[in-house]
Amino acid sequence: GENVEQHPSTLSVQEGDSAVIKCTYSDSASNYFPWYKQELGKGPQLIIDIRSNVGEKKDQRIAVTLNKTAKHFSLHITETQPEDSAVYFCAALNSGYSTLTFGKGTMLLVSP
Amino acid sequence: DTEVTQTPKHLVMGMTNKKSLKCEQHMGHRAMYWYKQKAKKPPELMFVYSYEKLSINESVPSRFSPECPNSSLLNLHLHALQPEDSALYLCASSQEGLQHYEQYFGPGTRLTVT
């Protein structure tokens, strides 16, 4: 089955800095990669996703890049703000199913 | 609108109790999911319903019993739970079919088994 590795497990940045979270996946047939943000006491919120026919996607301050050859994808957050503090999960769609395999999560702390 | 609602928000139950968790979505999604999430861990898939039929059961103990009464509702019936079942239970939904992969999560039910 699919295996997703996520790094780092924790990330501390100063407000205004950029943050990058990286994930690798094992199944070369995976074709969909979402990112979720989970704030304390809440459910995961889909913030951006990318499909395997695209190399990069942006939405305001967040962007995701995908390298299919290397089987890795990354989340980039620019001009970080304290409200970006949360746990971020990457995931990969299991080929042949409609299920997701999640990475272990990254706790992002943005200090004012 | 990408809203999935779950009730109750919090639930405390004893090991001999029977309770139910409820999930609802009105996005016309035909796939619905139950996940279990322990603290500092990613969501762990329990069940998948597709067009109101159970399509995936990830070897979940029988003390958890899912039900999908119609395309908008998903229940999780709980009976004789153990303290280690205490967790955040998340519901999610997505459209079915090729190219429809986005899963939207509800806020979860925080379950404590005493």
Side-chain angles (χ1 to χ4, degrees):
Chain A
E2 176 74 276
N3 183 48
V4 177
E5 300 283 339
Q6 181 172 349
H7 299 280
S9 56
T10 59
L11 180 58
S12 293
V13 300
Q14 292 290 318
E15 183 177 0
D17 287 350
S18 295
V20 180
I21 303 170
K22 299 183 178 183
C23 289
T24 60
Y25 60 98
S26 60
D27 184 355
S28 56
S30 289
N31 62 355
Y32 174 70
F33 307 92
W35 286 89
Y36 287 88
K37 174 184 180 181
Q38 188 171 24
E39 296 174 276
L40 198 61
K42 297 186 177 181
Q45 176 194 2
L46 178 64
I47 56 171
I48 196 167
D49 55 16
I50 192 165
R51 294 165 191 262
S52 58
N53 58 347
V54 175
E56 183 176 5
K57 183 177 179 181
K58 287 184 180 180
D59 183 2
Q60 300 183 345
R61 295 186 298 107
I62 60 173
V64 57
T65 58
L66 171 65
N67 183 327
K68 285 174 56 180
T69 303
K71 291 191 283 187
H72 67 69
F73 56 112
S74 301
L75 178 72
H76 304 254
I77 305 175
T78 58
E79 300 172 23
T80 54
Q81 300 167 4
E83 50 266 39
D84 293 329
S85 296
V87 178
Y88 290 80
F89 291 101
C90 65
L93 188 75
N94 296 307
S95 58
Y97 301 91
S98 59
T99 61
L100 297 172
T101 296
F102 287 85
K104 293 191 174 179
T106 297
M107 181 175 290
L108 174 64
L109 178 61
V110 181
S111 304
Chain B
D1 181 15
T2 56
E3 188 177 26
V4 176
T5 59
Q6 291 187 243
T7 55
K9 290 188 189 302
H10 302 276
L11 178 62
V12 179
M13 61 185 290
M15 289 188 284
T16 59
N17 291 159
K18 286 185 181 180
K19 296 286 184 183
S20 297
L21 309 184
K22 297 185 184 299
C23 172
E24 190 166 5
Q25 58 86 15
H26 294 288
M27 296 178 278
H29 290 173
R30 301 311 296 270
M32 297 185 77
Y33 311 77
W34 279 116
Y35 288 86
K36 173 183 178 180
Q37 187 178 30
K38 302 284 267 187
K40 301 185 188 297
K41 298 289 187 183
E44 179 184 337
L45 183 66
M46 300 175 71
F47 302 104
V48 181
Y49 273 82
S50 176
Y51 291 93
E52 296 139 63
K53 295 275 192 291
L54 183 64
S55 61
I56 295 177
N57 176 341
E58 293 285 6
S59 303
V60 179
S62 60
R63 57 185 184 269
F64 296 91
S65 175
E67 178 196 20
C68 189
N70 60 55
S71 60
S72 299
L73 293 174
L74 187 65
N75 298 322
L76 186 62
H77 303 297
L78 314 172
H79 173 55
L81 294 193
Q82 304 297 309
E84 58 265 30
D85 296 323
S86 297
L88 181 68
Y89 287 84
L90 294 161
C91 174
S93 71
S94 67
Q95 292 188 32
E96 265 291 24
L98 291 176
Q99 305 302 313
H100 293 297
Y101 304 134
E102 296 87 349
Q103 284 190 28
Y104 298 96
F105 284 83
T109 293
R110 175 73 60 191
L111 174 67
T112 302
V113 182
T114 60

Short mmCIF file of all heavy atoms in Angstrom, two decimals, chain B residues 8-9 13 17 33 39 48 50-52 54 63 70 77-78 84 86-87 90-91 106-107:
data_model
loop_
_atom_site.label_atom_id
_atom_site.label_comp_id
_atom_site.label_asym_id
_atom_site.label_seq_id
_atom_site.Cartn_x
_atom_site.Cartn_y
_atom_site.Cartn_z
N PRO B 8 -22.84 14.55 18.58
CA PRO B 8 -22.59 15.76 19.37
C PRO B 8 -21.14 16.21 19.21
O PRO B 8 -20.33 15.52 18.60
CB PRO B 8 -22.85 15.28 20.79
CG PRO B 8 -22.43 13.84 20.78
CD PRO B 8 -22.82 13.32 19.41
N LYS B 9 -20.79 17.36 19.75
CA LYS B 9 -19.39 17.83 19.72
C LYS B 9 -18.55 17.04 20.72
O LYS B 9 -17.38 16.76 20.47
CB LYS B 9 -19.32 19.32 20.07
CG LYS B 9 -19.89 20.24 19.02
CD LYS B 9 -19.59 21.69 19.38
CE LYS B 9 -20.32 22.66 18.50
NZ LYS B 9 -20.01 22.49 17.07
N MET B 13 -19.03 8.52 27.71
CA MET B 13 -19.85 7.33 27.89
C MET B 13 -19.10 6.28 28.68
O MET B 13 -17.87 6.19 28.63
CB MET B 13 -20.32 6.77 26.55
CG MET B 13 -19.23 6.34 25.60
SD MET B 13 -19.88 5.83 23.99
CE MET B 13 -20.70 4.29 24.40
N ASN B 17 -22.41 1.57 27.99
CA ASN B 17 -23.41 2.39 27.32
C ASN B 17 -23.50 2.07 25.83
O ASN B 17 -22.59 1.49 25.23
CB ASN B 17 -23.05 3.88 27.45
CG ASN B 17 -23.21 4.41 28.86
OD1 ASN B 17 -22.62 5.42 29.20
ND2 ASN B 17 -23.99 3.74 29.67
N TYR B 33 -17.22 8.95 4.95
CA TYR B 33 -16.14 8.25 5.63
C TYR B 33 -16.23 8.48 7.14
O TYR B 33 -16.60 9.57 7.59
CB TYR B 33 -14.78 8.80 5.18
CG TYR B 33 -14.58 8.91 3.69
CD1 TYR B 33 -15.17 9.94 2.96
CD2 TYR B 33 -13.78 7.99 3.02
CE1 TYR B 33 -14.97 10.04 1.60
CE2 TYR B 33 -13.58 8.10 1.66
CZ TYR B 33 -14.18 9.13 0.95
OH TYR B 33 -13.97 9.22 -0.41
N ALA B 39 -4.66 11.80 19.68
CA ALA B 39 -3.90 13.03 19.85
C ALA B 39 -2.53 12.93 19.17
O ALA B 39 -1.83 11.92 19.29
CB ALA B 39 -3.71 13.34 21.33
N VAL B 48 -15.78 3.30 4.86
CA VAL B 48 -16.15 4.10 3.70
C VAL B 48 -17.50 3.60 3.19
O VAL B 48 -17.69 2.40 3.02
CB VAL B 48 -15.12 4.00 2.55
CG1 VAL B 48 -15.56 4.88 1.39
CG2 VAL B 48 -13.73 4.40 3.03
N SER B 50 -20.08 4.13 -0.07
CA SER B 50 -20.20 4.65 -1.42
C SER B 50 -21.62 4.37 -1.91
O SER B 50 -22.04 3.20 -1.90
CB SER B 50 -19.18 3.97 -2.34
OG SER B 50 -19.34 4.38 -3.67
N TYR B 51 -22.34 5.42 -2.29
CA TYR B 51 -23.74 5.27 -2.69
C TYR B 51 -24.52 4.47 -1.64
O TYR B 51 -25.25 3.53 -1.98
CB TYR B 51 -23.85 4.64 -4.08
CG TYR B 51 -23.36 5.54 -5.18
CD1 TYR B 51 -22.05 5.49 -5.63
CD2 TYR B 51 -24.21 6.48 -5.76
CE1 TYR B 51 -21.59 6.34 -6.61
CE2 TYR B 51 -23.77 7.34 -6.76
CZ TYR B 51 -22.47 7.26 -7.17
OH TYR B 51 -22.02 8.11 -8.17
N GLU B 52 -24.31 4.83 -0.39
CA GLU B 52 -25.03 4.28 0.76
C GLU B 52 -24.73 2.81 1.04
O GLU B 52 -25.42 2.18 1.86
CB GLU B 52 -26.54 4.49 0.60
CG GLU B 52 -26.92 5.96 0.60
CD GLU B 52 -27.99 6.29 -0.45
OE1 GLU B 52 -29.10 5.74 -0.32
OE2 GLU B 52 -27.72 7.07 -1.38
N LEU B 54 -21.72 0.04 2.27
CA LEU B 54 -20.42 -0.06 2.91
C LEU B 54 -19.43 -0.65 1.90
O LEU B 54 -19.61 -1.78 1.43
CB LEU B 54 -20.51 -0.93 4.16
CG LEU B 54 -19.22 -1.07 4.97
CD1 LEU B 54 -18.79 0.27 5.56
CD2 LEU B 54 -19.41 -2.11 6.08
N ARG B 63 -17.66 -3.51 17.93
CA ARG B 63 -18.29 -2.57 18.88
C ARG B 63 -18.56 -1.21 18.20
O ARG B 63 -19.27 -0.38 18.75
CB ARG B 63 -17.45 -2.41 20.14
CG ARG B 63 -16.03 -1.94 19.93
CD ARG B 63 -15.28 -1.94 21.26
NE ARG B 63 -13.93 -1.41 21.15
CZ ARG B 63 -12.86 -2.16 20.91
NH1 ARG B 63 -12.99 -3.47 20.72
NH2 ARG B 63 -11.66 -1.60 20.83
N ASN B 70 -29.33 7.39 4.50
CA ASN B 70 -29.58 7.97 3.17
C ASN B 70 -28.31 8.69 2.72
O ASN B 70 -27.30 8.71 3.44
CB ASN B 70 -30.79 8.91 3.19
CG ASN B 70 -30.63 10.07 4.15
OD1 ASN B 70 -29.66 10.82 4.08
ND2 ASN B 70 -31.58 10.23 5.07
N HIS B 77 -22.68 3.80 15.40
CA HIS B 77 -23.26 3.29 16.63
C HIS B 77 -22.15 2.66 17.48
O HIS B 77 -21.33 1.90 16.96
CB HIS B 77 -24.36 2.27 16.33
CG HIS B 77 -25.45 2.81 15.46
ND1 HIS B 77 -26.27 3.85 15.86
CD2 HIS B 77 -25.83 2.48 14.20
CE1 HIS B 77 -27.13 4.13 14.90
NE2 HIS B 77 -26.89 3.32 13.88
N LEU B 78 -22.17 3.01 18.75
CA LEU B 78 -21.10 2.60 19.67
C LEU B 78 -21.68 1.75 20.79
O LEU B 78 -22.71 2.10 21.38
CB LEU B 78 -20.46 3.85 20.28
CG LEU B 78 -20.10 4.99 19.32
CD1 LEU B 78 -19.65 6.22 20.09
CD2 LEU B 78 -19.06 4.53 18.33
N GLU B 84 -9.54 2.81 25.55
CA GLU B 84 -8.61 3.15 24.45
C GLU B 84 -9.33 3.61 23.19
O GLU B 84 -8.69 4.06 22.23
CB GLU B 84 -7.70 1.95 24.11
CG GLU B 84 -8.43 0.68 23.72
CD GLU B 84 -8.62 -0.25 24.91
OE1 GLU B 84 -8.73 0.21 26.06
OE2 GLU B 84 -8.68 -1.48 24.66
N SER B 86 -11.26 6.12 23.28
CA SER B 86 -11.36 7.57 23.44
C SER B 86 -10.52 8.24 22.35
O SER B 86 -9.34 7.92 22.19
CB SER B 86 -10.87 8.00 24.82
OG SER B 86 -11.67 7.43 25.84
N ALA B 87 -11.14 9.17 21.62
CA ALA B 87 -10.47 9.79 20.47
C ALA B 87 -11.39 10.84 19.88
O ALA B 87 -12.53 11.02 20.32
CB ALA B 87 -10.12 8.76 19.41
N LEU B 90 -13.98 11.62 13.32
CA LEU B 90 -14.20 12.55 12.22
C LEU B 90 -15.02 11.90 11.12
O LEU B 90 -14.80 10.74 10.76
CB LEU B 90 -12.85 12.98 11.63
CG LEU B 90 -11.94 13.80 12.53
CD1 LEU B 90 -10.51 13.76 12.01
CD2 LEU B 90 -12.43 15.23 12.63
N CYS B 91 -15.93 12.66 10.57
CA CYS B 91 -16.69 12.26 9.40
C CYS B 91 -16.17 13.09 8.22
O CYS B 91 -15.76 14.25 8.40
CB CYS B 91 -18.17 12.53 9.64
SG CYS B 91 -19.24 12.25 8.23
N GLY B 106 -15.76 17.03 8.76
CA GLY B 106 -16.52 17.73 9.76
C GLY B 106 -15.64 18.11 10.94
O GLY B 106 -14.45 17.79 10.95
N PRO B 107 -16.22 18.77 11.95
CA PRO B 107 -15.44 19.23 13.11
C PRO B 107 -15.09 18.12 14.08
O PRO B 107 -14.22 18.30 14.94
CB PRO B 107 -16.36 20.26 13.76
CG PRO B 107 -17.73 19.82 13.36
CD PRO B 107 -17.60 19.23 11.99
#
